[in-house]
Amino acid sequence: MFELADPLVLLLLPVPLLISRLVKPRPVLERGFPVPDRIGALLAAAGSGHAPGGHAMADKAILWLIWILMVFAVSGPRELTPVSALKVSGRDLAIVLDMSGSMVRDDFHLDGRQVTRLEAVTTVGADFARRRAGDRVGLIVFGSEAYYATPFTFDTEAVARRIEEASIGISGRATNISDGLGLALKRMADSQAASRVVILLSDGVNNAGATNPRGVAELAAGMGVRVHTIALGPKDLETAEMGERGVVDAATLRAIAQVSGGESFRVKTTDDLIAVTEALDRLEATDSAGLTAEIHRSYWTWPAALAVVFALWAAWRHAE
């Protein structure tokens, strides 16, 4: 839709005409001021209403055209374009991913080929993050230590890229579930979001840190933060043989979810993982009204440029 930013400026259009009608000309002094013949002829023509060569009407038309273009430019011509409103859920969503050494195990399949747990999680997790438009999403990764990979942001594409770039070893190779969840809660402590949610994924057993994961879950419950947990891996600690490696402590993750009011999920295959992300989309839906917005494209430069062109042309005509 085309409009003027300040249409009242158009009231200035008749100002030159009003000035010519209301302001009386100064009396001509007897003393003269020597000027070049060409300029003198132009001044005389302006006073008599006749320009040399009979171009008085053309000169007036050009001056009026320059004035109209300048006033039109100042009025701010622009085109308004509606923009699809960004859905805003009012939710802070922390994705907490296990990047411990066991994530290198290649016991998952993706697109018909055998892949590591890490590749399955980063591929599916990045797709999940991209679908969270409207949420303010943050990413925490943990191994022996936990660190903040991305701050809370509405730029879900940036979070998805960071998930895809995640690698094992940067945070150590142990599994410190408590610190990963604790760091997410710390970042959410001052949040004013109407809803605060953590999605915690781990494929191992908490074997680092001094805090009990269930105690951190109680802290989450006290803060009103729901924690949804994903236990990743073909084998559980409860059913695996003594000393078997690469097993997940599904019972602890299930307890974290129960204490905090969240849901727990068991993932043994890539298809399970995809199904869990779809279930989480339903649990934490992003469909909500956003703020309407409009953007405008300004066109004032066009009439202003034309006014300059006509002014230069008029000057060139009188310089001949």
Side-chain angles (χ1 to χ4, degrees):
M1 182 180 66
F2 187 84
E3 69 169 23
L4 299 178
D6 193 357
L8 293 178
V9 172
L10 296 181
L11 296 176
L12 296 175
L13 286 173
V15 166
L17 184 60
L18 293 175
I19 292 176
S20 67
R21 299 293 186 188
L22 300 178
V23 177
K24 295 181 179 180
R26 287 186 175 184
V28 179
L29 299 177
E30 293 183 359
R31 293 183 178 180
F33 184 79
V35 295
D37 293 340
R38 188 182 299 275
I39 296 177
L42 291 172
L43 293 175
S48 63
H50 299 283
H55 296 305
M57 294 302 295
D59 288 341
K60 286 183 179 180
I62 292 172
L63 290 175
W64 270 107
L65 182 58
I66 293 171
W67 173 252
I68 291 171
L69 288 171
M70 292 302 296
V71 171
F72 185 60
V74 173
S75 69
R78 63 185 184 180
E79 182 180 14
L80 292 181
T81 304
V83 178
S84 300
L86 174 66
K87 295 177 180 180
V88 179
S89 68
R91 179 190 298 112
D92 276 358
L93 176 69
I95 300 175
V96 183
L97 298 182
D98 186 344
M99 290 289 123
S100 60
S102 56
M103 290 291 285
V104 298
R105 291 180 176 272
D106 55 353
D107 48 10
F108 273 66
H109 289 81
L110 184 65
D111 297 331
R113 60 190 178 87
Q114 193 167 3
V115 297
T116 64
R117 299 176 182 182
L118 175 65
E119 187 173 351
V121 168
T122 54
T123 301
V124 177
D127 289 341
F128 172 73
R130 289 187 173 98
R131 297 198 299 269
R132 303 312 303 176
D135 287 346
R136 211 166 64 106
V137 183
L139 175 65
I140 292 95
V141 298
F142 69 91
S144 304
E145 306 289 339
Y147 77 93
Y148 205 35
T150 62
F152 282 99
T153 177
F154 288 109
D155 187 356
T156 54
E157 178 60 30
V159 177
R161 289 197 302 268
R162 191 66 185 88
I163 292 174
E164 290 171 336
E165 295 166 358
S167 60
I168 295 171
I170 191 171
S171 56
R173 302 183 69 86
T175 304
N176 193 344
I177 296 174
S178 301
D179 280 8
L181 178 55
L183 182 57
L185 297 180
K186 181 179 180 180
R187 294 293 183 176
M188 288 181 163
D190 297 326
S191 170
Q192 301 300 315
S195 175
R196 294 174 293 174
V197 177
V198 174
I199 296 175
L200 170 65
L201 180 146
S202 178
D203 74 330
V205 179
N206 188 74
N207 56 17
T211 309
N212 187 308
R214 300 187 190 214
V216 182
E218 292 173 358
L219 176 61
M223 294 173 57
V225 177
R226 293 189 306 279
V227 182
H228 302 306
T229 60
I230 302 173
L232 181 79
K235 296 183 179 181
D236 293 349
L237 180 63
E238 297 170 305
T239 58
E241 296 180 3
M242 182 71 66
E244 189 171 356
R245 300 174 64 85
V247 298
V248 60
D249 188 356
T252 295
L253 293 172
R254 187 165 54 247
I256 291 172
Q258 291 173 348
V259 168
S260 64
E263 297 288 335
S264 61
F265 301 92
R266 184 70 181 89
V267 170
K268 296 183 179 181
T269 66
T270 305
D271 289 340
D272 290 344
L273 186 59
I274 294 172
V276 166
T277 61
E278 293 172 350
L280 288 170
D281 281 336
R282 292 190 295 270
L283 278 173
E284 304 294 343
T286 58
D287 291 335
S288 58
L291 299 175
T292 57
E294 289 182 330
I295 61 173
H296 65 268
R297 181 178 181 182
S298 296
Y299 292 105
W300 68 269
T301 54
W302 293 100
L306 283 174
V308 171
V309 169
F310 280 114
L312 293 174
W313 181 48
W316 175 77
R317 277 166 49 88
H318 289 298
E320 291 181 336

